[in-house]
Amino acid sequence: MEWYFVAALLTILTSSQGILTTLSQSGGGYKYDYATVPFLAEVFKLLVSSILLLRECKSSPFPRMTTEWKSIMGNLKIVTTGILFRLFLKRKMSNLQWMAIVLLAVGTTTSQVKGCDEASCDSLFSAPIQGYILGILSACLSALAGVYTEFLMKKNNDSLYWQNVQLYMFGSIFNMARLILDDFKQEFEQGPWWRRLFNGYSFTTWMVVLNLGSTGLLVSWLMKYADNIVKVYSTSMAMLLTMALSVYLFNFKPTLQLFLGIIICMMSLHMYFAPASMLLDLPSTVKAAPEKLAEVSVDRTTDS
């Protein structure tokens, strides 16, 4: 299926996103205005979507208008996405799939928790109650945003490219507003934002922009033709891939928790997407029994 390729590509791009951003730094900081990166990424997505929309319109009518305890709280959105996915989109999931989602949250959290002595372990859950409340709220809002976006993308038969044009037009406008606001805060000391838009940009910086833009386009494709759970698995696997690559690129010291987290997440991936027959390993005699019973009942009917 096509979504397997898109999900794998999204995992690679999401994983390389943080690596490229780190490589674009110079002397521990950015020589360019980082606020320009999401703006240019939105413009890139808008341009690509517009071009694809125009190509589509040549052969079809124009479409109708119509994120230690912090990481634990952050990974909670994996579970909340599954819950909202079930409640709002009415998607049924088996008990094995629910267990797989919980395992994914446990695996990603395990990979991020560092080894600790008695003192640091005691402080692991020592955050104020407001922190936990805000963490849970953040997880719920993040999941709600993803589920609602999927609902909007699938509620009608509008072209994906037309929906992207609308989405990224708003993204470009709001990112431009951020740049204008920064100008007013700095009292235009460095001039208007469009004059310094590409200041300090290097090849790696442009790769960051291209990466962000391409990632957004792949996410919208998955929202339209797959679902939020596929996206959650892609981004979670990307996080683990980033940590593994950091061992070689940034001398990151791997931990036992990282290896355990990767194993748990791979088990979760297999549990969610593998066919039930592969997971349950039912004997062939169980499948043959109903057919024999059907033959007997037919024979009896004919005799009578």
Side-chain angles (χ1 to χ4, degrees), residues 179 182-183 186-196:
L179 294 172
D182 288 345
D183 283 344
Q186 299 171 8
E187 299 180 350
F188 294 89
E189 291 180 358
Q190 301 177 355
W193 64 271
W194 60 84
R195 292 186 180 178
R196 52 182 171 82

Side-chain angles (χ1 to χ4, degrees), residues 187-251:
E187 299 180 350
F188 294 89
E189 291 180 358
Q190 301 177 355
W193 64 271
W194 60 84
R195 292 186 180 178
R196 52 182 171 82
L197 184 60
F198 305 121
N199 289 355
Y201 267 56
S202 63
F203 174 77
T204 310
T205 311
W206 282 110
M207 290 298 294
V208 174
V209 174
L210 182 62
N211 182 289
L212 282 172
S214 302
T215 300
L217 292 171
L218 290 176
V219 168
S220 66
W221 194 97
L222 287 179
M223 290 294 190
K224 182 74 172 181
Y225 300 113
D227 55 53
N228 262 279
I229 303 300
V230 176
K231 180 218 168 203
V232 164
Y233 270 94
S234 296
T235 52
S236 297
M237 295 302 167
M239 181 195 67
L240 297 176
L241 180 58
T242 301
M243 297 176 70
L245 291 175
S246 297
V247 175
Y248 300 97
L249 295 175
F250 306 116
N251 295 322

Side-chain angles (χ1 to χ4, degrees), residues 2 48 50 53 76 82 84 126 128 138 161 169 189 195 210 289:
E2 290 184 355
V48 171
S50 300
L53 177 63
L76 181 63
L84 295 175
S126 61
S138 174
Y161 310 129
M169 185 179 296
E189 291 180 358
R195 292 186 180 178
L210 182 62

Side-chain angles (χ1 to χ4, degrees), residues 33-236:
D33 185 357
Y34 191 78
T36 62
V37 171
F39 169 71
L40 291 174
E42 291 297 317
V43 172
F44 169 77
K45 291 184 282 188
L46 177 60
L47 289 174
V48 171
S49 299
S50 300
I51 292 172
L52 293 174
L53 177 63
L54 289 174
R55 288 187 58 185
E56 184 180 70
C57 290
K58 290 181 179 179
S59 56
S60 61
F62 195 80
R64 296 179 292 109
M65 294 285 184
T66 56
T67 192
E68 294 311 329
W69 70 269
K70 182 178 179 181
S71 65
I72 296 175
M73 291 292 103
N75 289 319
L76 181 63
K77 67 182 179 183
I78 296 174
V79 179
T80 54
T81 296
I83 295 173
L84 295 175
F85 185 75
R86 174 67 180 91
L87 293 177
F88 290 98
L89 299 181
K90 308 298 182 183
R91 304 291 179 84
K92 293 183 178 181
M93 292 188 291
S94 66
N95 292 334
L96 281 174
Q97 289 178 321
W98 279 112
M99 292 170 63
I101 290 176
V102 174
L103 272 180
L104 181 63
V106 172
T108 52
T109 303
T110 301
S111 65
Q112 296 175 64
V113 175
K114 300 178 181 179
C116 56
D117 52 28
E118 184 176 351
S120 57
C121 282
D122 290 340
S123 63
L124 184 59
F125 297 101
S126 61
I129 187 63
Q130 295 90 338
Y132 294 108
I133 294 176
L134 291 175
I136 295 173
L137 180 61
S138 174
C140 292
L141 290 177
S142 177
L144 180 60
V147 171
Y148 187 64
T149 300
E150 180 182 344
F151 168 75
L152 291 177
M153 299 288 281
K154 291 180 176 177
K155 73 173 184 177
N156 52 48
N157 294 322
D158 284 355
S159 165
L160 170 64
Y161 310 129
W162 169 239
Q163 292 176 322
N164 281 345
V165 167
Q166 299 175 76
L167 178 64
Y168 301 134
M169 185 179 296
F170 280 103
S172 300
I173 292 173
F174 281 104
N175 277 279
M176 186 189 301
R178 158 70 189 279
L179 294 172
I180 296 174
L181 182 61
D182 288 345
D183 283 344
F184 279 101
K185 286 182 177 180
Q186 299 171 8
E187 299 180 350
F188 294 89
E189 291 180 358
Q190 301 177 355
W193 64 271
W194 60 84
R195 292 186 180 178
R196 52 182 171 82
L197 184 60
F198 305 121
N199 289 355
Y201 267 56
S202 63
F203 174 77
T204 310
T205 311
W206 282 110
M207 290 298 294
V208 174
V209 174
L210 182 62
N211 182 289
L212 282 172
S214 302
T215 300
L217 292 171
L218 290 176
V219 168
S220 66
W221 194 97
L222 287 179
M223 290 294 190
K224 182 74 172 181
Y225 300 113
D227 55 53
N228 262 279
I229 303 300
V230 176
K231 180 218 168 203
V232 164
Y233 270 94
S234 296
T235 52
S236 297

Side-chain angles (χ1 to χ4, degrees), residues 265-286:
C265 289
M266 294 306 295
M267 292 175 61
S268 169
L269 181 67
H270 177 71
M271 185 182 297
Y272 189 91
F273 292 105
S277 57
M278 184 183 298
L279 295 173
L280 299 176
D281 195 21
L282 295 174
S284 56
T285 53
V286 176

